């Protein structure tokens, strides 16, 4: 081990880490494989992001309202989102990703067309995401990184909403002109390189040495990443 002014460094490990990705759709998408850009992105990431061992896209329960009380347990228990997972959320899926981060650490998160208020829409209010203040500090602390994109001409979510989210999350925020609500693969083409760079540079830091054996045992072979284990 090495002593320094930064503490006691037990070891520095280089090993193969499996990184997963989960795509969360917006509400109203009963068949996610035919809706918007979801399957297009799944296929592109599978083909072009070797750091990912799996890109998960599933039809969601309660697709019309996307209620938090139904989606969050499904994301955790069925989609298996965990600290080695990158979540990409669109519209209601972005709100679900933010609420998820209040309780679950993720390797990274992509927010596409995110907001923080129901904007007077009854169906949005029924989803439950806006029923209480957002825990911005927890969201930031539980995210390895946050990439956020929005278009000033979004017909549903004002740019002020996105800027409020970005300011509170200190996200890597990009405004992209002429993308509307990011409905199409064409709109997402400019976002894909940003996602790929984030995925390629993903890192996991374990600060509890007792967790090291379990983390290593749980990892199938994947791309090499850097793991720093630091004793308090």
């Amino acid at each position: 081990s090495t002593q320094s002014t930064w503490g006691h460094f037990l070891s520095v490990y280089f090993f193969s880490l499996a990184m997963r990705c989960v795509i969360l759709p917006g509400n109203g998408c009963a068949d996610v494989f035919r809706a918007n850009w979801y399957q297009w992105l799944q296929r592109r990431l599978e083909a072009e992001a070797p750091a990912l061992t799996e890109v998960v896209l599933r039809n969601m329960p309660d697709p019309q309202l996307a209620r938090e009380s139904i989606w969050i347990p499904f994301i955790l228990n069925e989609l298996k989102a965990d600290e080695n997972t990158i979540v990409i959320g669109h519209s209601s899926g972005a709100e679900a990703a933010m609420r998820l981060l209040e309780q679950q650490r993720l390797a990274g998160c992509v927010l596409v067309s995110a907001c923080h208020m129901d904007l007077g829409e009854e169906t949005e209010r029924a989803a439950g995401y806006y029923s209480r203040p957002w825990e911005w500090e927890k969201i930031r602390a539980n995210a390895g990184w946050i990439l956020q994109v929005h278009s000033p001409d979004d017909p549903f979510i004002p740019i002020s909403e996105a800027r409020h989210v970005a300011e509170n999350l200190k996200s890597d925020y990009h405004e992209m002109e002429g993308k509307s609500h990011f409905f199409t693969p064409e709109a997402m083409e400019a976002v894909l390189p940003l996602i790929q760079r984030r995925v390629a540079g993903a890192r996991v830091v374990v600060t509890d040495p007792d967790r090291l054996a379990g983390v290593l045992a749980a990892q199938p072979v994947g791309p090499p990443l850097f793991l720093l284990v630091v004793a308090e």
Side-chain angles (χ1 to χ4, degrees):
S1 65
T2 303
Q3 173 113 21
S4 79
T5 57
W6 296 97
H8 297 275
F9 286 79
L10 296 183
S11 302
V12 176
Y13 297 87
F14 293 87
F15 70 101
S16 294
L17 178 72
M19 191 71 63
R20 303 171 66 249
C21 177
V22 170
I23 300 172
L24 301 180
N27 62 11
C29 299
D31 183 357
V32 297
F33 299 99
R34 296 173 62 87
N36 300 323
W37 42 263
Y38 309 132
Q39 189 172 61
W40 170 87
L41 182 62
Q42 179 190 37
R43 289 173 173 170
R44 290 290 297 269
L45 290 176
E46 287 174 342
E48 301 172 24
L52 296 174
T53 59
E54 183 180 21
V55 182
V56 179
L57 177 65
R58 292 264 302 273
N59 283 324
M60 302 293 288
D62 190 36
Q64 298 306 316
L65 292 181
R67 281 172 288 189
E68 178 187 2
S69 61
I70 297 175
W71 274 34
I72 297 301
F74 184 81
I75 295 166
L76 288 169
N77 300 325
E78 299 297 326
L79 303 185
K80 306 298 185 184
D82 62 15
E83 62 190 12
N84 295 327
T85 303
I86 295 167
V87 169
I88 302 174
H90 175 225
S91 198
S92 295
E95 280 73 82
M98 291 193 293
R99 287 300 185 192
L100 177 68
L101 278 165
E102 291 180 344
Q103 60 180 283
Q104 171 63 53
R105 179 161 180 81
L106 298 175
C109 182
V110 182
L111 303 176
V112 182
S113 304
C115 62
H116 75 285
M117 296 191 299
D118 62 37
L119 301 173
E121 296 290 335
E122 185 58 38
T123 54
E124 297 295 336
R125 188 176 302 114
Y129 300 109
Y130 316 100
S131 63
R132 61 202 184 278
W134 293 91
E135 298 185 69
W136 302 116
E137 291 185 7
K138 283 186 178 180
I139 297 171
R140 290 198 307 269
N142 280 331
W145 47 264
I146 300 175
L147 170 66
Q148 182 186 349
V149 297
H150 206 90
S151 180
D153 68 337
D154 190 313
F156 306 117
I157 301 175
I159 196 68
S160 58
E161 283 281 307
R163 291 171 180 170
H164 181 87
V165 172
E167 179 181 358
N168 281 276
L169 292 184
K170 307 296 187 288
S171 62
D172 177 10
Y173 177 57
H174 300 258
E175 291 184 2
M176 299 183 174
E177 297 284 347
K179 306 301 183 184
S180 183
H181 196 56
F182 288 89
F183 284 123
T184 66
E186 291 75 19
M188 286 295 290
E189 278 284 2
V191 184
L192 181 59
L194 301 177
I195 297 173
Q196 290 173 323
R197 282 198 291 270
R198 284 290 186 172
V199 170
R203 298 290 185 269
V204 171
V205 179
V206 175
T207 56
D208 180 0
D210 293 335
R211 293 185 53 237
L212 176 59
V215 170
L216 290 173
Q219 302 306 320
V221 174
L225 292 181
F226 172 75
L227 175 65
L228 173 63
V229 182
V230 184
E232 297 292 338

